[in-house]
Amino acid sequence: MDTKQIVKGFETQLQNYKKKNEQTELGRIVFSGDGVVKITGLKHCKYGELLEINGSIRAIALNLEEHEIGAIVLDDEDKVATGGLVSATGDIVTVPVGPELLGRVVDPLGNAIDGLAPIKTSGKRRPIETPAPVIMDRGKVNEPLQTGIICIDSMIPIGKGQRELIIGDRQTGKTSVAIDTILNQKGKGVICVYVAIGQKASSISSLVHLLSENGAMEYTIIVCSTARDSAPIQYIAPYSGCAMAEEFMYQGKDVLIVYDDLSKHAVAYRSMSLLLKRPPGREAYPGDIFYIHSRLLERAAKLSEFHGGGSMTALPIVETQAGAISAYVPTNVISITDGQIFLETELFNAGVRPAVNVGLSVSRVGSSAQIKAMRTVSGKLRLDLSQYRELAIFAQFGTDLDAQTKSMLAQGERTTEMLKQPVSSPMDVEKQVIILYITMKELLKNISVKKLSAFKVGFLEYVDTNFPQICKKIRENGNLDFETSQEIEAATTRFIDFYFDKVK
Ligand code: ATP
Ligand code: MG
């Protein structure tokens, strides 16, 4: 062995020794309360690093100050007390990932909380915070992600890899839109992750029930943090859900992730930041409130074919107060996402459900992903509807309306009625096309508005049994040719003339 080699050997030994020493550096807790601890003595700690208190309790370092570190406790905070010993692990928090998680309800650290057997994953873990895919790794959003909700798929289409915000006041059907979208992915090969942030345990339990009843749990993971959980646990929930979803995306699969909801996430982060004594800004949120959501939502992407072609579509939900979409968190998330579905209390109370405000809702990238048949039938829909709404307000004041206005109002009323849809009943895209075609062609003129919902159900059944080729052709060709549209018209006339009177 020559001298050079010996010196190199010594150097490596020395480095390893130094590393070991760094890893075993110990700190001490000087303050503990509400899930937040202050630690002194950890000189080499990094931002976001995983810390271990008393060898077992996990914490994340968030404030790096000159003499002390502020950290948030993830596990049992009751067992943390002043004087406790803290060691830095040199790593960041990871969660278990893999297909074994499908069908399960887990907490944000990946532990099963559904009372079933512990989850045995392959041992693979992913860090909860990872950089978003870079521009060159991304592909174009060009495939539709069907929500099964007719007014969304027709006017606010969502593409795979898109981030579409669902925004509205409390109890306007936000969660229902997201859940219906999950239900509609059955048999379509899309894996779903639902992240509950600070919700009531009872709502999550009924949601799990609903998903299992409809056979949707098989392809769904529920990451659950309830209102009872500490702010740090609620804070990491969306990041760990995202890590679980990313695993599938990087394998080339399609994933849909729902964050329900980011307003509660922002509130959890605010309380943590205030406890960490960070300076409060607008609405008492800390300065980096934009960044916690932007770095989360940027991780949703459509990967290029070269990188497997997988996708992660994100549906974040934000709750507004009295329709104020210009509040701090709503404007932030609106500016990060590729569009929003705005749900309105007035419409909801008037019985227009889903209560989508078509004027304020938009999808910035999804229309290129829409199938051709849908584009053909829904082209004029948005304009017609907004004209109708304007006219309806105007018409309230006058009694003497001319024939043309009357017919526009009648048509608008019928369109609105045909776009109504109850919960848990997603509709296939070909059926949506048929419904929109007959509505836009004004074939329903002679049916009274009250009978339209019965008509819709009856007619779709009638088409299914007597003209199965219509749906088949739309599904296979992706467009609506002249012959098929003639068939739809013939079926409608036949149904109205011979059957509808009997079923109504
Ligand atoms: P929260 O603010 O409490 O989270 P939310 O906005 O998520 O409420 P949901 O929980 O989805 O609203 O819905 C509220 C209620 O409205 C539920 O009882 C649901 O069944 C009903 N609902 C939602 N969408 C529809 C619909 N399209 N048709 C009929 N009822 C609906
Ligand atoms: Mg909800």
Side-chain angles (χ1 to χ4, degrees):
M1 218 191 278
D2 65 0
T3 356
K4 259 191 191 166
Q5 270 181 330
I6 294 172
V7 172
K8 207 161 179 210
F10 271 132
E11 271 174 1
T12 342
Q13 268 186 18
L14 191 65
Q15 265 169 8
N16 286 346
Y17 176 76
K18 268 190 190 161
K19 245 191 212 162
K20 211 170 147 196
N21 252 12
E22 268 173 26
Q23 275 173 5
T24 50
E25 185 183 58
L26 283 179
R28 205 168 271 286
I29 298 178
V30 288
F31 163 83
S32 158
D34 299 311
V36 166
V37 287
K38 294 262 160 102
I39 304 154
T40 54
L42 288 180
K43 288 210 182 68
H44 300 94
C45 182
K46 293 190 277 287
Y47 178 80
E49 191 170 342
L50 175 66
L51 309 175
E52 270 178 6
I53 302 171
N54 298 334
S56 60
I57 300 164
R58 284 169 290 182
I60 304 176
L62 281 191
N63 263 19
L64 304 180
E65 289 162 20
E66 199 176 346
H67 301 296
E68 59 181 23
I69 285 166
I72 50 167
V73 182
L74 299 180
D75 297 306
D76 211 349
E77 55 176 299
D78 305 338
K79 294 196 184 119
V80 179
T82 319
L85 285 179
V86 188
S87 59
T89 60
D91 233 334
I92 76 163
V93 182
T94 57
V95 283
V97 292
E100 296 81 5
L101 290 166
L102 292 174
R104 304 299 301 262
V105 184
V106 295
D107 68 7
L109 293 165
N111 308 310
I113 50 168
D114 47 7
L116 304 175
I119 303 168
K120 284 201 192 77
T121 55
S122 61
K124 191 165 182 203
R125 301 180 74 89
R126 280 189 85 90
I128 60 168
E129 298 259 15
T130 45
V134 294
I135 299 171
M136 294 313 290
D137 294 354
R138 292 177 187 244
K140 249 185 98 178
V141 174
N142 55 9
E143 244 185 289
L145 184 118
Q146 305 290 352
T147 62
I149 300 169
I150 187 164
C151 67
I152 297 178
D153 286 343
S154 58
M155 287 178 285
I156 320 151
I158 301 172
K160 284 183 179 159
Q162 186 177 344
R163 300 144 317 156
E164 183 79 10
L165 170 67
I166 301 171
I167 186 168
D169 280 2
R170 52 173 297 280
Q171 290 288 306
T172 45
K174 303 182 295 300
T175 306
S176 303
V177 168
I179 298 305
D180 284 355
T181 311
I182 293 183
L183 293 181
N184 193 45
Q185 304 314 314
K186 193 170 180 183
K188 297 199 171 77
V190 177
I191 289 164
C192 302
V193 180
Y194 176 86
V195 184
I197 307 163
Q199 289 192 30
K200 283 183 289 187
S202 62
S203 346
I204 300 169
S205 137
S206 48
L207 180 121
V208 174
H209 219 75
L210 178 75
L211 291 180
S212 333
E213 263 176 7
N214 290 285
M217 270 312 274
E218 292 150 33
Y219 55 86
T220 306
I221 304 172
I222 295 185
V223 181
C224 163
S225 67
T226 61
R228 198 186 136 265
D229 287 319
S230 65
I233 287 289
Q234 293 184 28
Y235 163 69
I236 66 160
Y239 303 103
S240 47
C242 189
M244 292 169 192
E246 255 169 2
E247 173 68 10
F248 297 110
M249 174 175 77
Y250 284 114
Q251 283 173 0
K253 296 182 180 147
D254 294 317
V255 198
L256 166 74
I257 185 161
V258 177
Y259 302 111
D260 195 359
D261 63 71
L262 291 187
S263 320
K264 294 203 185 72
H265 183 239
V267 168
Y269 189 61
R270 174 168 67 185
S271 56
M272 263 166 50
S273 303
L274 292 175
L275 286 165
L276 284 165
K277 300 254 163 31
R278 288 184 174 180
R282 184 175 158 191
E283 291 177 26
Y285 287 109
D288 59 347
I289 193 80
F290 182 88
Y291 178 56
I292 68 163
H293 291 152
S294 64
R295 71 169 190 259
L296 171 72
L297 293 168
E298 272 302 294
R299 285 160 74 181
K302 163 87 189 160
L303 296 179
S304 62
E305 286 308 317
F306 182 74
H307 288 90
S311 72
M312 191 200 304
T313 314
L315 294 180
I317 295 178
V318 161
E319 186 185 302
T320 50
Q321 311 289 333
I325 45 173
S326 56
Y328 195 20
V329 173
T331 36
N332 279 352
V333 185
I334 285 175
S335 71
I336 298 164
T337 47
D338 310 304
Q340 71 273 352
I341 297 168
F342 184 64
L343 302 171
E344 222 173 44
T345 315
E346 285 84 60
L347 289 174
F348 190 86
N349 293 341
V352 183
R353 299 177 190 179
V356 179
N357 177 325
V358 179
L360 288 178
S361 303
V362 54
S363 168
R364 295 193 194 104
V365 290
S367 53
S368 53
Q370 227 171 9
I371 68 163
K372 210 163 159 234
M374 185 54 110
R375 231 176 298 161
T376 323
V377 291
S378 66
K380 256 172 76 244
L381 188 58
R382 181 188 277 266
L383 190 67
D384 278 7
L385 266 185
S386 49
Q387 271 177 352
Y388 159 68
R389 298 247 159 96
E390 236 171 68
L391 204 59
I393 295 167
F394 182 68
Q396 281 174 359
F397 305 111
T399 45
D400 210 12
L401 300 170
D402 60 78
Q404 200 198 351
T405 315
K406 269 189 197 156
S407 91
M408 269 178 86
L409 283 173
Q411 170 62 12
E413 236 178 302
R414 282 175 173 72
T415 315
T416 311
E417 192 62 31
M418 291 303 272
L419 292 180
K420 287 184 188 170
Q421 201 172 340
V423 278
S424 315
S425 54
M427 199 189 279
D428 288 336
V429 65
E430 49 272 13
K431 292 200 171 137
Q432 295 184 11
V433 169
I434 296 175
I435 291 292
L436 288 172
Y437 182 79
I438 59 173
T439 312
M440 297 309 281
K441 276 273 169 181
E442 306 195 8
L443 301 178
L444 309 171
K445 253 191 232 157
N446 301 325
I447 302 175
S448 80
V449 176
K450 274 190 218 138
K451 289 179 189 155
L452 278 178
S453 63
F455 168 84
K456 191 158 70 174
V457 178
F459 178 64
L460 286 177
E461 262 173 37
Y462 173 74
V463 172
D464 249 350
T465 38
N466 297 292
F467 300 90
Q469 78 277 10
I470 298 183
C471 285
K472 194 165 166 260
K473 263 196 260 174
I474 301 176
R475 193 166 40 229
E476 281 168 6
N477 302 344
N479 66 1
L480 188 65
D481 51 31
F482 181 71
E483 198 188 317
T484 319
S485 51
Q486 291 303 307
E487 273 177 345
I488 297 177
E489 283 187 31
T492 319
T493 326
R494 253 184 95 76
F495 182 70
I496 294 174
D497 290 349
F498 297 109
Y499 298 97
F500 187 49
D501 275 345
K502 293 180 196 110
V503 294
K504 71 187 171 187

